[in-house]
Amino acid sequence: MIDANLNRAAEALRTMEDVARFVLDHQTLSEQCKNLRHDLHAEIKRLPIPAGGLIASRDTSGDVGTSITNSSEHSRADVLSIAATAGSRAAQALRVLEESAKTLDPDAAKSIEAIRYRTYTADQQLQLAF
């Protein structure tokens, strides 16, 4: 769960960063999203997971969730919908990471919670910038 949701959150934050950077030309918001992504990786490194443990746990070919889809996954109306979807995806993944971290390092979980709240703010600012 940690590997999958770390990837999901990082990809979503990168999408938000790139929308802010390349579509809105918004340096501050782009930097906020980049910092969120880097701060998240730093917190995950605090968890007592052996080096290489996350990548070693990955089983894309055996993952039953890779074939589950819905109709809205493959279309977006515009760039705003891309940004909104990314913000929602980031928040959901951060919640899973926060809950998972509670079993490993409660302090890291608190930090991930703070990143989740910062992501809510960045998501709001990004959507309002359109």
Side-chain angles (χ1 to χ4, degrees):
M1 284 186 349
I2 292 173
D3 180 62
N5 282 285
L6 174 59
N7 289 336
R8 185 176 290 126
E11 291 164 355
L13 290 168
R14 171 64 84 167
T15 300
M16 293 168 65
E17 176 186 342
D18 284 355
V19 168
R21 179 180 175 188
F22 297 116
V23 176
L24 299 174
D25 196 33
H26 196 304
Q27 181 178 355
T28 303
L29 192 50
S30 178
E31 184 176 15
Q32 286 175 356
C33 294
K34 181 176 184 173
N35 289 340
L36 286 164
R37 194 166 37 82
H38 285 271
D39 292 350
L40 175 60
H41 282 286
E43 289 307 317
I44 296 299
K45 286 181 183 177
R46 287 180 48 185
L47 298 177
I49 299 171
L54 291 177
I55 193 81
S57 69
R58 193 173 298 168
D59 180 19
T60 306
S61 63
D63 182 351
V64 298
T66 60
S67 61
I68 301 171
T69 63
N70 67 50
S71 60
S72 67
E73 281 184 63
H74 302 289
S75 66
R76 298 287 179 261
D78 50 30
V79 179
L80 175 56
S81 67
I82 293 170
T85 300
S88 178
R89 183 177 298 119
Q92 292 170 21
L94 287 165
R95 173 56 101 170
V96 174
L97 289 169
E98 175 190 338
E99 294 297 329
S100 299
K102 288 176 183 178
T103 67
L104 301 170
D105 183 335
D107 289 332
K110 289 176 188 172
S111 295
I112 294 168
E113 177 186 33
I115 292 168
R116 181 168 52 86
Y117 288 129
R118 289 170 46 209
T119 299
Y120 291 158
T121 301
D123 179 33
Q124 178 187 38
Q125 291 173 343
L126 185 59
Q127 290 188 52
L128 291 175
F130 277 88

